[in-house]
Coordinates of all heavy atoms in Angstrom, one line a residue:
M14 N 36.4 -4.4 13.9 CA 36.1 -4.0 12.5 C 34.6 -4.2 12.3 O 33.9 -3.3 12.1 CB 37.0 -4.7 11.6 CG 36.6 -4.3 10.2 SD 37.5 -5.3 8.9 CE 39.0 -4.5 8.8
F15 N 34.2 -5.5 12.3 CA 32.8 -5.8 12.1 C 32.3 -6.3 13.5 O 32.9 -7.2 14.1 CB 32.6 -6.8 11.0 CG 33.0 -6.4 9.7 CD1 34.2 -6.8 9.2 CD2 32.2 -5.5 9.0 CE1 34.6 -6.4 7.9 CE2 32.6 -5.1 7.7 CZ 33.8 -5.5 7.2
A16 N 31.2 -5.8 13.8 CA 30.5 -6.3 15.1 C 29.5 -7.4 14.7 O 28.7 -7.2 13.9 CB 29.8 -5.1 15.8
L17 N 29.8 -8.5 15.3 CA 28.8 -9.6 15.1 C 27.6 -9.4 16.0 O 27.8 -8.9 17.2 CB 29.4 -11.0 15.4 CG 30.6 -11.3 14.5 CD1 31.2 -12.6 14.9 CD2 30.1 -11.5 13.0
R18 N 26.4 -9.7 15.5 CA 25.2 -9.5 16.3 C 24.5 -10.9 16.3 O 23.6 -11.1 15.6 CB 24.3 -8.5 15.7 CG 25.0 -7.1 15.7 CD 24.0 -6.0 15.3 NE 22.9 -6.0 16.3 CZ 21.7 -5.5 16.0 NH1 21.5 -5.0 14.9 NH2 20.8 -5.5 17.0
P19 N 25.0 -11.8 17.2 CA 24.4 -13.1 17.2 C 23.0 -13.1 17.8 O 22.2 -14.1 17.5 CB 25.3 -13.9 18.1 CG 26.0 -12.9 19.0 CD 26.1 -11.6 18.1
E20 N 22.7 -12.1 18.5 CA 21.3 -12.1 19.1 C 20.2 -11.9 18.0 O 20.5 -11.2 17.0 CB 21.1 -11.0 20.2 CG 21.1 -9.6 19.7 CD 22.4 -9.0 19.5 OE1 23.5 -9.6 19.7 OE2 22.4 -7.8 19.1
R21 N 19.1 -12.5 18.1 CA 18.1 -12.4 17.1 C 17.2 -11.3 17.6 O 17.1 -11.0 18.8 CB 17.3 -13.7 17.1 CG 18.2 -14.9 16.8 CD 17.4 -16.2 16.7 NE 17.4 -16.4 15.3 CZ 16.6 -17.4 14.8 NH1 15.8 -18.1 15.5 NH2 16.7 -17.6 13.5
P22 N 16.4 -10.7 16.7 CA 15.5 -9.7 17.1 C 14.4 -10.2 17.8 O 14.1 -11.4 17.7 CB 15.0 -9.1 15.7 CG 15.4 -10.1 14.7 CD 16.6 -10.9 15.2
A23 N 13.9 -9.4 18.7 CA 12.7 -9.9 19.5 C 11.5 -10.2 18.5 O 11.4 -9.6 17.5 CB 12.3 -8.8 20.5
T24 N 10.7 -11.1 19.0 CA 9.5 -11.4 18.1 C 8.3 -10.9 18.9 O 8.3 -10.7 20.1 CB 9.4 -12.9 17.9 OG1 9.3 -13.6 19.2 CG2 10.6 -13.5 17.2
L25 N 7.3 -10.7 18.1 CA 6.0 -10.3 18.7 C 4.9 -11.1 17.9 O 5.2 -11.7 16.8 CB 5.8 -8.8 18.6 CG 6.1 -8.1 17.3 CD1 4.8 -8.1 16.4 CD2 6.5 -6.7 17.5
E26 N 3.7 -11.1 18.4 CA 2.7 -11.9 17.8 C 1.7 -11.0 17.1 O 1.2 -10.0 17.7 CB 2.0 -12.7 18.9 CG 0.9 -13.7 18.3 CD 0.3 -14.5 19.4 OE1 -0.5 -14.0 20.2 OE2 0.8 -15.7 19.5
V27 N 1.4 -11.3 15.9 CA 0.3 -10.7 15.1 C -0.7 -11.7 14.6 O -0.4 -12.9 14.8 CB 0.9 -9.8 13.9 CG1 1.8 -8.8 14.4 CG2 1.5 -10.7 12.9
F28 N -1.8 -11.3 14.1 CA -2.8 -12.2 13.6 C -3.0 -12.0 12.1 O -3.3 -10.9 11.7 CB -4.1 -12.0 14.4 CG -3.9 -12.3 15.8 CD1 -3.6 -11.3 16.7 CD2 -4.1 -13.6 16.3 CE1 -3.4 -11.5 18.0 CE2 -3.9 -13.9 17.7 CZ -3.5 -12.8 18.6
V29 N -2.8 -13.0 11.3 CA -3.0 -13.0 9.9 C -4.2 -13.8 9.5 O -4.2 -15.1 9.7 CB -1.7 -13.5 9.1 CG1 -2.0 -13.5 7.6 CG2 -0.5 -12.6 9.5
D30 N -5.2 -13.2 9.1 CA -6.5 -13.8 8.8 C -7.0 -14.7 10.0 O -7.5 -15.8 9.9 CB -6.4 -14.7 7.6 CG -7.8 -14.8 6.8 OD1 -8.7 -14.2 7.2 OD2 -7.8 -15.7 5.9
G31 N -6.7 -14.2 11.2 CA -7.2 -14.8 12.5 C -6.2 -15.8 13.1 O -6.4 -16.2 14.2
A32 N -5.1 -16.1 12.4 CA -4.1 -17.1 12.9 C -3.0 -16.3 13.6 O -2.4 -15.3 13.0 CB -3.6 -18.0 11.8
A33 N -2.5 -16.8 14.7 CA -1.4 -16.0 15.4 C -0.2 -16.4 14.7 O 0.1 -17.6 14.4 CB -1.4 -16.5 16.9
V34 N 0.7 -15.4 14.5 CA 2.0 -15.6 13.8 C 3.1 -14.8 14.5 O 2.9 -13.6 14.7 CB 1.9 -15.1 12.3 CG1 3.2 -15.3 11.6 CG2 0.8 -15.7 11.6
P35 N 4.1 -15.5 14.9 CA 5.3 -14.8 15.5 C 6.1 -14.2 14.4 O 6.4 -14.8 13.4 CB 6.0 -15.9 16.3 CG 5.7 -17.1 15.6 CD 4.3 -17.0 15.0
V36 N 6.4 -12.9 14.6 CA 7.3 -12.2 13.6 C 8.3 -11.4 14.2 O 8.1 -10.9 15.4 CB 6.4 -11.3 12.6 CG1 5.3 -12.1 11.8 CG2 5.6 -10.2 13.5
P37 N 9.4 -11.2 13.6 CA 10.5 -10.4 14.2 C 10.1 -8.9 14.3 O 9.4 -8.3 13.4 CB 11.6 -10.5 13.2 CG 11.3 -11.6 12.2 CD 9.9 -11.7 12.3
E38 N 10.5 -8.3 15.4 CA 10.2 -6.9 15.6 C 10.8 -6.1 14.5 O 11.9 -6.4 14.0 CB 10.8 -6.5 16.9 CG 10.3 -5.2 17.5 CD 10.9 -5.0 18.8 OE1 12.2 -4.7 18.9 OE2 10.2 -5.1 19.9
G39 N 10.0 -5.1 13.9 CA 10.5 -4.3 12.8 C 10.1 -4.9 11.5 O 10.4 -4.2 10.5
A40 N 9.6 -6.0 11.4 CA 9.2 -6.6 10.1 C 7.9 -5.8 9.7 O 7.2 -5.1 10.4 CB 8.9 -8.1 10.2
S41 N 7.6 -6.0 8.4 CA 6.4 -5.3 7.8 C 5.2 -6.3 8.0 O 5.4 -7.5 8.1 CB 6.6 -4.9 6.4 OG 6.7 -6.1 5.6
A42 N 4.0 -5.7 7.9 CA 2.8 -6.6 7.8 C 2.8 -7.5 6.7 O 2.3 -8.6 6.8 CB 1.6 -5.7 7.8
A43 N 3.3 -7.1 5.5 CA 3.4 -8.0 4.4 C 4.3 -9.1 4.7 O 4.1 -10.3 4.3 CB 4.0 -7.2 3.2
A44 N 5.4 -8.9 5.4 CA 6.3 -10.0 5.7 C 5.6 -11.0 6.7 O 5.8 -12.2 6.5 CB 7.6 -9.4 6.4
A45 N 4.8 -10.5 7.6 CA 4.0 -11.3 8.4 C 3.1 -12.2 7.6 O 2.9 -13.4 7.9 CB 3.2 -10.5 9.4
V46 N 2.5 -11.7 6.5 CA 1.6 -12.4 5.7 C 2.3 -13.6 5.0 O 1.9 -14.7 5.0 CB 1.0 -11.5 4.6 CG1 0.3 -12.3 3.5 CG2 0.0 -10.5 5.2
L47 N 3.6 -13.3 4.5 CA 4.4 -14.3 3.9 C 4.9 -15.3 4.9 O 4.9 -16.5 4.6 CB 5.6 -13.7 3.2 CG 5.2 -12.7 2.0 CD1 6.4 -12.0 1.4 CD2 4.5 -13.5 0.9
L48 N 5.3 -14.9 6.1 CA 5.7 -15.8 7.1 C 4.5 -16.8 7.5 O 4.7 -17.9 7.9 CB 6.1 -15.1 8.4 CG 7.6 -14.5 8.3 CD1 7.8 -13.6 9.5 CD2 8.5 -15.6 8.3
A49 N 3.3 -16.3 7.5 CA 2.1 -17.1 7.8 C 1.8 -18.1 6.7 O 1.0 -19.0 7.0 CB 0.9 -16.1 8.0
G50 N 2.4 -17.9 5.6 CA 2.1 -18.9 4.5 C 0.7 -18.7 3.9 O 0.1 -19.7 3.4
A51 N 0.2 -17.5 4.0 CA -1.2 -17.2 3.6 C -1.2 -17.4 2.0 O -0.3 -17.2 1.3 CB -1.6 -15.8 3.9
A52 N -2.4 -17.8 1.6 CA -2.6 -18.1 0.2 C -2.9 -16.8 -0.6 O -2.6 -16.7 -1.8 CB -3.8 -19.0 0.0
L53 N -3.4 -15.8 0.1 CA -3.6 -14.5 -0.6 C -3.7 -13.4 0.5 O -4.0 -13.6 1.6 CB -4.9 -14.5 -1.4 CG -6.2 -14.7 -0.7 CD1 -6.9 -13.4 -0.4 CD2 -7.1 -15.6 -1.4
I54 N -3.5 -12.2 0.0 CA -3.7 -11.0 0.9 C -4.8 -10.1 0.3 O -5.4 -9.3 1.0 CB -2.4 -10.3 1.2 CG1 -2.6 -9.3 2.3 CG2 -1.9 -9.6 0.0 CD1 -3.1 -9.9 3.7
R55 N -5.0 -10.2 -1.0 CA -6.1 -9.5 -1.6 C -6.5 -10.2 -2.9 O -5.8 -11.2 -3.3 CB -5.6 -8.0 -2.0 CG -4.8 -8.0 -3.2 CD -4.5 -6.5 -3.6 NE -3.8 -6.4 -4.8 CZ -4.3 -6.2 -6.0 NH1 -5.7 -6.0 -6.2 NH2 -3.6 -6.1 -7.1
E56 N -7.7 -9.8 -3.4 CA -8.2 -10.3 -4.6 C -8.3 -9.2 -5.6 O -8.7 -8.1 -5.2 CB -9.6 -11.0 -4.4 CG -9.5 -12.2 -3.5 CD -10.9 -12.7 -3.1 OE1 -11.8 -11.9 -3.2 OE2 -11.0 -13.9 -2.8
T57 N -8.0 -9.5 -6.9 CA -8.2 -8.3 -7.8 C -9.6 -7.9 -8.0 O -10.5 -8.8 -7.8 CB -7.6 -8.7 -9.2 OG1 -8.3 -9.9 -9.7 CG2 -6.1 -9.1 -9.1
Q58 N -9.8 -6.7 -8.3 CA -11.2 -6.2 -8.4 C -12.0 -6.8 -9.6 O -13.2 -7.1 -9.5 CB -11.2 -4.7 -8.6 CG -10.6 -4.0 -7.4 CD -10.6 -2.5 -7.6 OE1 -11.4 -1.9 -8.3 NE2 -9.6 -1.8 -7.0
V59 N -11.3 -7.0 -10.7 CA -12.0 -7.5 -11.9 C -12.2 -9.0 -12.0 O -13.3 -9.4 -12.1 CB -11.1 -7.0 -13.2 CG1 -11.8 -7.6 -14.5 CG2 -11.0 -5.5 -13.2
S60 N -11.1 -9.8 -11.8 CA -11.3 -11.2 -11.9 C -11.3 -12.0 -10.6 O -11.6 -13.2 -10.5 CB -10.1 -11.8 -12.8 OG -8.9 -11.7 -12.0
G61 N -11.0 -11.3 -9.5 CA -10.9 -12.0 -8.2 C -9.7 -12.9 -8.0 O -9.7 -13.7 -7.1
A62 N -8.7 -12.7 -8.9 CA -7.5 -13.5 -8.8 C -6.8 -13.2 -7.5 O -6.7 -12.0 -7.0 CB -6.5 -13.2 -10.0
P63 N -6.2 -14.2 -6.8 CA -5.5 -14.0 -5.5 C -4.1 -13.3 -5.8 O -3.5 -13.5 -6.8 CB -5.3 -15.4 -5.0 CG -5.2 -16.3 -6.3 CD -6.2 -15.6 -7.2
R64 N -3.7 -12.5 -4.8 CA -2.5 -11.8 -4.9 C -1.8 -11.9 -3.5 O -2.5 -12.0 -2.5 CB -2.7 -10.2 -5.2 CG -3.1 -10.0 -6.6 CD -2.0 -10.3 -7.6 NE -2.3 -9.9 -8.9 CZ -2.8 -10.7 -9.9 NH1 -2.9 -12.0 -9.6 NH2 -3.0 -10.3 -11.1
L65 N -0.5 -11.9 -3.6 CA 0.4 -11.8 -2.4 C 1.4 -10.6 -2.6 O 1.6 -10.2 -3.7 CB 1.2 -13.1 -2.2 CG 0.4 -14.3 -1.7 CD1 1.2 -15.6 -1.8 CD2 0.0 -14.1 -0.2
P66 N 1.9 -10.2 -1.5 CA 3.0 -9.1 -1.6 C 4.0 -9.5 -2.6 O 4.5 -10.7 -2.7 CB 3.5 -9.0 -0.2 CG 2.5 -9.5 0.7 CD 1.8 -10.6 -0.1
Y67 N 4.5 -8.6 -3.4 CA 5.4 -8.8 -4.5 C 6.7 -8.0 -4.4 O 7.8 -8.6 -4.2 CB 4.8 -8.6 -5.9 CG 5.6 -8.9 -7.0 CD1 6.0 -10.2 -7.3 CD2 6.1 -7.9 -7.8 CE1 6.9 -10.5 -8.4 CE2 6.9 -8.1 -9.0 CZ 7.3 -9.4 -9.2 OH 8.1 -9.7 -10.3
C68 N 6.6 -6.7 -4.4 CA 7.8 -5.9 -4.5 C 8.4 -5.6 -3.1 O 9.6 -5.3 -3.0 CB 7.5 -4.6 -5.2 SG 6.5 -3.4 -4.3
M69 N 7.6 -5.6 -2.1 CA 8.0 -5.2 -0.8 C 8.5 -3.8 -0.6 O 9.4 -3.6 0.4 CB 8.9 -6.3 -0.2 CG 8.3 -7.7 -0.2 SD 6.9 -7.9 0.8 CE 7.7 -8.1 2.4
M70 N 8.2 -2.9 -1.5 CA 8.8 -1.7 -1.4 C 7.8 -0.5 -1.8 O 8.2 0.6 -2.1 CB 10.1 -1.5 -2.2 CG 10.0 -1.7 -3.6 SD 11.5 -1.6 -4.4 CE 11.1 -1.5 -6.2
G71 N 6.5 -0.9 -1.8 CA 5.5 0.2 -2.0 C 5.2 0.5 -3.5 O 4.6 1.5 -3.7
A72 N 5.7 -0.3 -4.4 CA 5.5 0.0 -5.8 C 4.3 -0.7 -6.5 O 3.7 -0.2 -7.4 CB 6.8 -0.2 -6.6
C73 N 4.1 -2.0 -6.1 CA 3.1 -2.8 -6.9 C 1.7 -2.8 -6.4 O 0.8 -3.1 -7.1 CB 3.6 -4.2 -7.0 SG 3.5 -5.2 -5.5
F74 N 1.5 -2.5 -5.2 CA 0.2 -2.5 -4.5 C -0.5 -3.8 -4.4 O -1.7 -3.9 -4.3 CB -0.8 -1.4 -5.2 CG -0.5 0.0 -4.9 CD1 0.7 0.6 -5.5 CD2 -1.2 0.7 -4.0 CE1 1.0 1.9 -5.2 CE2 -0.8 2.0 -3.7 CZ 0.3 2.6 -4.3
D75 N 0.3 -4.9 -4.6 CA -0.3 -6.2 -4.5 C -0.4 -6.6 -3.0 O -0.9 -7.7 -2.8 CB 0.6 -7.2 -5.3 CG 0.0 -7.4 -6.7 OD1 -1.1 -7.0 -7.0 OD2 0.8 -8.0 -7.5
C76 N -0.1 -5.8 -2.1 CA -0.2 -6.1 -0.7 C -1.3 -5.4 0.0 O -1.3 -5.4 1.2 CB 1.2 -5.8 0.0 SG 1.5 -4.0 -0.1
L77 N -2.2 -4.8 -0.7 CA -3.3 -4.1 -0.1 C -4.0 -5.0 0.9 O -4.4 -6.1 0.4 CB -4.3 -3.5 -1.1 CG -3.7 -2.4 -2.0 CD1 -4.7 -1.8 -2.9 CD2 -3.1 -1.3 -1.1
A78 N -4.2 -4.6 2.0 CA -4.9 -5.5 3.1 C -5.7 -4.6 4.0 O -5.6 -3.4 4.1 CB -3.8 -6.3 3.8
E79 N -6.5 -5.3 4.8 CA -7.2 -4.6 5.9 C -6.3 -4.8 7.2 O -6.1 -6.0 7.6 CB -8.6 -5.3 6.1 CG -9.4 -4.5 7.2 CD -10.7 -5.1 7.3 OE1 -11.5 -5.3 6.3 OE2 -11.1 -5.5 8.4
I80 N -5.8 -3.8 7.7 CA -4.9 -3.8 8.9 C -5.6 -3.1 10.1 O -6.0 -1.9 10.0 CB -3.6 -3.2 8.6 CG1 -2.9 -4.0 7.5 CG2 -2.7 -3.2 9.9 CD1 -1.6 -3.5 7.1
D81 N -5.9 -3.8 11.1 CA -6.6 -3.3 12.3 C -7.9 -2.6 11.9 O -8.2 -1.5 12.4 CB -5.7 -2.4 13.1 CG -4.6 -3.2 13.9 OD1 -4.8 -4.4 14.1 OD2 -3.6 -2.6 14.2
G82 N -8.6 -3.2 11.0 CA -9.9 -2.7 10.6 C -9.9 -1.6 9.6 O -11.0 -1.1 9.1
V83 N -8.7 -1.2 9.1 CA -8.6 -0.2 8.1 C -8.2 -0.8 6.8 O -7.1 -1.4 6.6 CB -7.6 0.9 8.5 CG1 -7.5 2.0 7.4 CG2 -8.0 1.5 9.8
A84 N -9.1 -0.7 5.8 CA -8.8 -1.4 4.5 C -7.9 -0.5 3.6 O -7.6 0.6 3.9 CB -10.2 -1.5 3.7
N85 N -7.4 -1.2 2.6 CA -6.6 -0.5 1.5 C -5.3 0.0 2.0 O -4.8 1.0 1.5 CB -7.4 0.6 0.9 CG -7.2 0.7 -0.6 OD1 -7.0 -0.2 -1.2 ND2 -7.3 2.0 -1.1
R86 N -4.7 -0.7 3.0 CA -3.4 -0.3 3.5 C -2.3 -1.1 2.7 O -2.4 -2.3 2.5 CB -3.3 -0.5 5.0 CG -4.4 0.2 5.6 CD -4.1 0.9 6.9 NE -2.8 1.5 7.1 CZ -2.2 1.5 8.3 NH1 -2.8 0.9 9.3 NH2 -1.0 2.0 8.4
Q87 N -1.2 -0.5 2.4 CA -0.1 -1.2 1.8 C 0.7 -1.9 2.9 O 1.5 -1.3 3.6 CB 0.8 -0.2 1.1 CG 0.4 0.2 -0.3 CD 1.4 1.1 -1.0 OE1 1.4 2.3 -0.6 NE2 2.2 0.6 -1.8
A88 N 0.5 -3.2 3.0 CA 1.1 -3.9 4.1 C 2.6 -3.9 4.1 O 3.2 -4.0 5.2 CB 0.5 -5.4 4.0
C89 N 3.2 -3.7 3.0 CA 4.7 -3.7 3.0 C 5.2 -2.4 3.6 O 6.4 -2.3 3.9 CB 5.2 -4.0 1.6 SG 4.9 -2.6 0.4
M90 N 4.4 -1.4 3.8 CA 4.8 -0.1 4.3 C 4.5 0.1 5.8 O 4.7 1.1 6.3 CB 4.2 1.0 3.5 CG 4.6 1.0 2.0 SD 6.2 1.7 1.8 CE 7.2 0.2 1.5
V91 N 3.8 -1.0 6.3 CA 3.3 -0.9 7.7 C 4.1 -1.8 8.6 O 4.1 -3.0 8.4 CB 1.8 -1.2 7.8 CG1 1.3 -1.1 9.2 CG2 1.0 -0.3 6.8
P92 N 4.8 -1.2 9.6 CA 5.6 -2.1 10.5 C 4.6 -2.8 11.5 O 3.5 -2.3 11.8 CB 6.4 -1.2 11.3 CG 6.0 0.2 11.1 CD 5.1 0.2 9.8
V93 N 4.9 -4.0 11.8 CA 4.0 -4.8 12.7 C 4.1 -4.2 14.1 O 5.0 -3.6 14.5 CB 4.5 -6.3 12.8 CG1 4.2 -7.0 11.5 CG2 5.9 -6.4 13.2
A94 N 3.0 -4.4 14.8 CA 2.8 -4.0 16.1 C 2.2 -5.2 16.9 O 1.4 -6.0 16.3 CB 1.9 -2.8 16.3
P95 N 2.4 -5.3 18.2 CA 1.9 -6.4 18.9 C 0.4 -6.4 18.8 O -0.3 -5.5 19.0 CB 2.3 -6.2 20.4 CG 3.5 -5.3 20.3 CD 3.3 -4.4 19.0
G96 N -0.2 -7.7 18.5 CA -1.6 -7.8 18.4 C -2.2 -7.3 17.2 O -3.5 -7.3 17.0
M97 N -1.4 -6.9 16.2 CA -2.0 -6.3 14.9 C -2.8 -7.4 14.3 O -2.4 -8.6 14.2 CB -0.9 -5.9 14.0 CG -1.3 -5.4 12.7 SD 0.2 -5.0 11.7 CE 0.4 -3.3 12.2
H98 N -3.9 -7.0 13.7 CA -4.8 -7.9 12.9 C -4.7 -7.6 11.4 O -5.0 -6.4 11.0 CB -6.2 -7.8 13.3 CG -6.5 -8.5 14.7 ND1 -6.9 -9.8 14.7 CD2 -6.3 -8.1 15.9 CE1 -7.0 -10.1 16.0 NE2 -6.6 -9.1 16.8
I99 N -4.2 -8.5 10.6 CA -4.1 -8.3 9.2 C -5.0 -9.3 8.5 O -5.0 -10.5 8.7 CB -2.6 -8.6 8.7 CG1 -1.6 -7.8 9.6 CG2 -2.4 -8.4 7.3 CD1 -0.2 -8.4 9.6
A100 N -5.9 -8.7 7.7 CA -6.9 -9.6 7.0 C -6.9 -9.3 5.5 O -6.6 -8.2 5.1 CB -8.3 -9.2 7.6
P101 N -7.2 -10.3 4.7 CA -7.3 -10.1 3.3 C -8.3 -9.1 2.9 O -9.3 -9.0 3.6 CB -7.7 -11.5 2.7 CG -7.4 -12.5 3.8 CD -7.5 -11.7 5.1
Q102 N -8.0 -8.4 1.8 CA -8.9 -7.4 1.3 C -9.6 -8.0 0.1 O -8.9 -8.5 -0.8 CB -8.2 -6.1 0.9 CG -9.1 -5.1 0.3 CD -8.5 -3.7 0.3 OE1 -7.9 -3.3 1.2 NE2 -8.5 -3.1 -0.9
H103 N -10.9 -8.1 0.1 CA -11.7 -8.7 -1.0 C -12.3 -7.6 -1.8 O -13.1 -6.8 -1.3 CB -12.8 -9.6 -0.4 CG -12.2 -10.7 0.4 ND1 -11.6 -11.8 -0.1 CD2 -12.2 -10.9 1.8 CE1 -11.2 -12.6 0.8 NE2 -11.5 -12.1 2.0
G104 N -12.0 -7.5 -3.1 CA -12.5 -6.6 -4.0 C -12.0 -5.2 -3.6 O -11.1 -4.9 -2.9
A105 N -12.8 -4.2 -4.2 CA -12.4 -2.8 -4.0 C -12.9 -2.3 -2.7 O -13.8 -2.7 -2.1 CB -13.0 -2.0 -5.1
R106 N -12.1 -1.4 -2.2 CA -12.4 -0.7 -0.9 C -13.5 0.3 -1.3 O -13.5 1.1 -2.3 CB -11.2 0.0 -0.4 CG -11.5 0.9 0.8 CD -10.3 1.7 1.2 NE -10.6 2.5 2.3 CZ -10.1 3.7 2.4 NH1 -9.2 4.2 1.5 NH2 -10.4 4.5 3.4
R107 N -14.5 0.4 -0.3 CA -15.5 1.5 -0.5 C -14.9 2.8 -0.1 O -14.0 2.9 0.8 CB -16.7 1.2 0.4 CG -17.6 0.1 -0.2 CD -18.8 -0.1 0.7 NE -18.3 -0.9 1.9 CZ -19.0 -1.3 2.9 NH1 -20.2 -0.9 2.9 NH2 -18.5 -2.0 3.8
A108 N -15.3 3.8 -0.9 CA -14.7 5.2 -0.6 C -15.2 5.7 0.7 O -14.4 6.3 1.5 CB -15.2 6.1 -1.7
F109 N -16.4 5.3 1.1 CA -16.9 5.8 2.4 C -17.5 4.7 3.2 O -18.1 3.8 2.5 CB -18.0 6.9 2.2 CG -17.4 8.1 1.4 CD1 -17.6 8.3 0.1 CD2 -16.6 9.1 2.1 CE1 -17.1 9.3 -0.6 CE2 -16.1 10.2 1.4 CZ -16.3 10.3 0.1
P110 N -17.4 4.6 4.4 CA -18.1 3.5 5.2 C -19.6 3.6 5.0 O -20.2 4.7 4.8 CB -17.7 3.8 6.7 CG -16.6 4.8 6.7 CD -16.7 5.5 5.3
A111 N -20.2 2.4 5.0 CA -21.7 2.4 4.9 C -22.4 2.9 6.0 O -21.9 3.0 7.1 CB -22.1 0.9 4.6
Ligands
LIG47 S1 4.3 -5.5 -1.9 FE1 4.3 -4.1 -3.6 S2 3.4 -2.3 -2.8 FE2 3.5 -3.7 -1.1

């Protein structure tokens, strides 16, 4: 009737603000940030207040981060990949690279 799955998902290693973090395969980059115990993943543009992922479903945009060098990505919508680099986003993203 019900199949038990005692095996755990494989883990892979990503880097959150430079620190190596083991995360389950299939997790989101936002989950990796929370697993890392990070203090913030972005700062608000106006006051600089720290933010962490909140809704985990693409609605609040509090998870905007720089992922593998690309800013303004919704970390909760991005599945982790081995060696992924997730960095906090500070302030607003520039529309065009300098
Ligand atoms: S956590 Fe809300 S949009 Fe990503």
Side-chain angles (χ1 to χ4, degrees):
M14 178 186 278
F15 296 102
L17 296 176
R18 297 189 61 202
E20 73 275 2
R21 308 182 102 190
T24 59
L25 49 85
E26 186 176 77
V27 300
F28 299 90
V29 176
D30 205 12
V34 180
V36 295
E38 196 174 70
S41 68
V46 168
L47 296 174
L48 280 171
L53 65 97
I54 192 57
R55 76 174 185 99
E56 296 170 338
T57 60
Q58 296 177 31
V59 175
S60 70
R64 290 288 189 263
L65 282 169
Y67 181 67
C68 72
M69 302 297 279
M70 61 181 192
C73 73
F74 287 77
D75 269 341
C76 64
L77 293 181
E79 182 178 309
I80 298 176
D81 288 337
V83 180
N85 217 31
R86 304 220 34 215
Q87 277 183 283
C89 68
M90 298 285 103
V91 179
V93 290
M97 173 183 275
H98 286 264
I99 306 160
Q102 179 164 311
H103 300 285
R106 173 187 176 215
R107 282 182 285 180
F109 300 100

